[in-house]
Amino acid sequence: MTATPSLRRTLLLWLLWPLLLIAPAAAALQYALILKPSLQIFDRVLGDNVLAIANFLHAGPAGLQFEMSAQTERSLRTAQTDALFYAVIGPGGELLAGDPPVAEPATAMAVDEWRFYDAEVFDQAVRVAAHGVRCGEAVCQVRVAETRTARDALRNEMIAAIAASLLLFAVATAVTVLVATARGLRPLQRLSRQLGARSLGDLRPLVAADVPGEAVPVVDAMNRLLERVQAGSAAQQAFLADAAHQLRTPLATLKTEAELALLQPHPPELQATLQRLDQAAARAARLSSQLLTLARSDASARAALPLAAVDLKAVATEAVQEWVPRAVDAGIDLGFELQPAVLTGQAFLLREMLANLLHNALTYAGRGAQVTIRTGVAEGAPFLEVEDDGPGIAAADRGRLLQRFQRGDQASGSGSGLGLAIVSDIVQAHGAHIELGEASAGRGLRVWVRFATSPDAGPP
Ligand SMILES: Nc1ncnc2c1ncn2[C@@H]1O[C@H](COP(=O)(O)OP(=O)(O)OP(=O)(O)O)[C@@H](O)[C@H]1O
Ligand SMILES: [Mg+2]
């Protein structure tokens, strides 16, 4: 989705490069501190063998003598897992005893000098310890050669151990980085989920409580932006409310004047014009009042309206006076089934919500229809319901008609398509839930608004 590299990848990459440098350095250190001293122990044991053999070399009056019993030689050769060879070399380079290949190559040595080197004897790789010993006035040499089986086995084991420990270290570090970034990023993911779940009008500042310190400036910047958006939106709503409010008086005057003109004696050819004028004035007045309601139901404007305990039963009872005569005019039987339903909300908006629902029911249900308003508490939640047995709204259209300026295909008369949008806004403003469904009669529309369960709501 994004072209920017992920934080996790960047961290891993930055970790990998130093690891590539650190790993060989650590390996060299382990070689110098552990492997090399261990291999030197083998050389020391080999040196001990040289000294043991040198003990059998004597310089007597009868010349140089080397006297090692066959049994001693056997036990010397078979004491180790590795094969052992030796050579006792006289001052002139001549072989006094032992295996001829060990005496090769002939090199001069000083008394008490030690030399250790790798060579090949009887086609086998060996480690040789050579030592110069005094024999009479001259210098003899004792050399012991040992095959490298035990030595190589130890070296291989140690290299494997070093490699395994470095690998373990690298993997553990990588896993730690992955887990740590995942954990470190979790608060940010929570924040983005929280933002994603927000409704459009929710411009409250983000809470930076559990985001990592590095992200706090981002949250702060976002909050400042939200503040500015909120201020802009509030200004816009205030303008809309003001404009709608300013329009009300001249429109009311216009309507009154049109009504008055209709009552005065007037030329019959003006009758139709005056009636159209009267209707247009009524429509404009209603539209301006709807715009005012929309502006007031907006999140930024709502804060200014007082929140109070409102009984939906009282709201519906107030509507009787205005709506029963209008229902009678429209040939509609308006019924009330009211139970107390107390909630915390804004009375003005709730009255407007009911007015829009009743206006629709009276407009669209048709002559002879039955319209019922119900209030009460169901499962602890206050509700308001307006039901009619008119043509209803097809299920596929319900979602669309809740939006602004959307009207039904068959809708006639002077509507703007704002009524249900206003209802929907007010429902949202109260954190309530709206459902458009079939009426219980099997035909008609049932609008059901269920408010949040309130602890102080009366019993069902
Ligand atoms: N009780 C109802 N029965 C049948 N159809 C309805 C009912 N209420 C609303 N509608 C349909 O839903 C559409 C949208 O209603 P809404 O109240 O939003 O706008 P409107 O009534 O057309 O215009 P306004 O309310 O702004 O004057 C209406 O045009 C109508 O087709
Ligand atoms: Mg309407």
Side-chain angles (χ1 to χ4, degrees), residues 167-226:
L167 195 71
L168 198 72
F169 170 69
V171 170
T173 313
V175 169
T176 309
V177 167
L178 284 178
V179 171
T181 41
R183 282 187 75 96
L185 290 177
R186 216 173 286 162
L188 287 183
Q189 284 165 345
R190 260 202 302 277
L191 197 68
S192 69
R193 265 202 303 276
Q194 201 188 330
L195 265 177
R198 274 196 180 197
S199 65
L200 251 172
D202 188 353
L203 297 175
R204 282 172 304 153
L206 300 169
V207 186
D210 63 344
V211 300
E214 290 82 349
V216 169
V218 180
V219 174
D220 285 347
M222 203 126 70
N223 281 343
R224 281 197 297 277
L225 178 69
L226 282 173

Side-chain angles (χ1 to χ4, degrees), residues 286 290 360 364 388 392 401 406-408 411 415-420:
R286 180 167 146 71
Q290 278 181 320
N360 279 353
Y364 304 112
D388 65 62
L401 294 181
Q406 294 291 327
R407 305 199 70 207
S416 322
L418 282 178
L420 286 179

Side-chain angles (χ1 to χ4, degrees), residues 363-402:
T363 311
Y364 304 112
R367 236 158 225 290
Q370 166 85 42
V371 174
T372 312
I373 305 167
R374 294 189 188 91
T375 62
V377 176
E379 290 167 9
F383 71 86
L384 175 120
E385 184 181 297
V386 177
E387 186 183 83
D388 65 62
D389 56 1
I393 301 181
D397 285 340
R398 288 173 195 156
R400 176 179 71 86
L401 294 181
L402 282 173

Side-chain angles (χ1 to χ4, degrees), residues 83 216 230 293 323:
V216 169
Q230 191 165 29
T293 311
W323 289 92

Side-chain angles (χ1 to χ4, degrees), residues 130-333:
H131 183 46
V133 292
R134 185 175 298 282
C135 49
E137 293 302 306
V139 186
C140 295
Q141 260 183 59
V142 177
R143 294 183 186 176
V144 176
E146 183 187 49
T147 52
R148 311 184 50 108
T149 317
R151 200 179 273 267
D152 288 350
L154 178 74
R155 205 195 53 198
N156 291 343
E157 268 171 30
M158 287 191 115
I159 287 176
I162 290 173
S165 71
L166 284 178
L167 195 71
L168 198 72
F169 170 69
V171 170
T173 313
V175 169
T176 309
V177 167
L178 284 178
V179 171
T181 41
R183 282 187 75 96
L185 290 177
R186 216 173 286 162
L188 287 183
Q189 284 165 345
R190 260 202 302 277
L191 197 68
S192 69
R193 265 202 303 276
Q194 201 188 330
L195 265 177
R198 274 196 180 197
S199 65
L200 251 172
D202 188 353
L203 297 175
R204 282 172 304 153
L206 300 169
V207 186
D210 63 344
V211 300
E214 290 82 349
V216 169
V218 180
V219 174
D220 285 347
M222 203 126 70
N223 281 343
R224 281 197 297 277
L225 178 69
L226 282 173
E227 237 170 67
R228 287 207 299 277
V229 171
Q230 191 165 29
S233 149
Q236 210 177 15
Q237 294 305 325
F239 170 76
L240 182 61
D242 280 352
H245 195 76
Q246 295 297 324
L247 275 173
R248 279 170 90 173
T249 319
L251 287 173
T253 313
L254 191 64
K255 175 142 174 55
T256 316
E257 293 298 325
E259 277 165 1
L260 270 177
L262 275 168
L263 293 175
Q264 305 280 325
H266 53 269
E269 63 269 24
L270 275 186
Q271 174 71 14
T273 308
L274 286 177
Q275 264 171 354
R276 280 201 298 276
L277 191 64
D278 181 40
Q279 278 162 10
R283 184 177 168 210
R286 180 167 146 71
L287 188 60
S288 78
S289 119
Q290 278 181 320
L291 288 177
L292 187 63
T293 311
L294 267 178
R296 286 192 179 167
S297 66
D298 183 85
S300 51
R302 251 176 15 241
L305 289 175
L307 263 184
V310 184
D311 188 353
L312 292 174
K313 179 179 176 179
V315 171
T317 310
E318 274 174 42
V320 171
Q321 208 185 359
E322 182 188 348
W323 289 92
V324 168
R326 291 172 74 164
V328 171
D329 283 350
I332 280 176
D333 178 9

